[in-house]
């Protein structure tokens, strides 16, 4: 459970990093956040936070450097899938990104309970 939450955290981290440039986000979001200087900074800070969460969650399954490497590998795979699928199927990639925070919380709590 915790490993899946970590992979979703890595996916969401890349989605936030990708969203730091509002024109990359579909569904008219760019028109709402354009001109706000805090958007790119907040997106990048949250991306770093979610990647750190991914490393911390892997830290429950692996030790030290292995947790970082596993989270980094998850980030690279998530980024590759995101970049390949975003132009083809944007609703799916951004829909999954929108579902990541509650899924991460739920899976983390379930993993902690069965841990």
């Amino acid at each position: 459970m915790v490993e899946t939450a970590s992979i979703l955290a890595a996916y969401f981290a890349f989605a936030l990093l990708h969203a730091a440039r509002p024109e990359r986000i579909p569904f008219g979001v760019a028109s709402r956040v354009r001109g706000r200087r805090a958007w790119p900074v907040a997106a990048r800070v949250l991306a770093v936070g979610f990647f750190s969460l991914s490393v911390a969650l892997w830290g429950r399954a692996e030790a030290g450097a292995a947790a970082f490497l596993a989270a980094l590998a998850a980030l690279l795979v998530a980024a590759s899938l995101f970049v390949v699928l975003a132009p083809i199927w944007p609703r799916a990639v951004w829909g999954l990104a929108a579902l990541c925070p509650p899924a991460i919380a739920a899976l983390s709590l379930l993993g902690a309970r069965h841990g």
Side-chain angles (χ1 to χ4, degrees):
M1 300 278 180
V2 179
E3 293 87 353
T4 305
S6 175
I7 291 169
L8 289 176
Y11 179 85
F12 192 62
F14 183 77
L16 285 169
L17 192 59
H18 195 71
R21 294 190 53 199
E23 62 271 5
R24 293 181 177 171
I25 309 171
F27 319 119
V29 174
S31 62
R32 286 181 262 166
V33 296
R34 191 164 307 230
R36 294 186 181 164
R37 292 183 181 182
W39 175 264
V41 174
R44 287 183 179 109
V45 167
L46 284 172
V48 168
F50 271 93
F51 180 70
S52 299
L53 176 65
S54 178
V55 172
L57 289 171
W58 267 112
R60 297 190 65 210
E62 300 285 338
F68 177 75
L69 290 175
L72 186 62
L75 180 69
L76 292 174
V77 170
S80 298
L81 287 174
F82 194 97
V83 168
V84 168
L85 292 177
I88 300 168
W89 203 8
R91 289 193 186 274
V93 251
W94 289 103
L96 178 60
L99 292 175
C100 279
I104 292 166
L107 289 170
S108 298
L109 290 174
L110 286 173
R113 213 176 81 194
H114 290 97

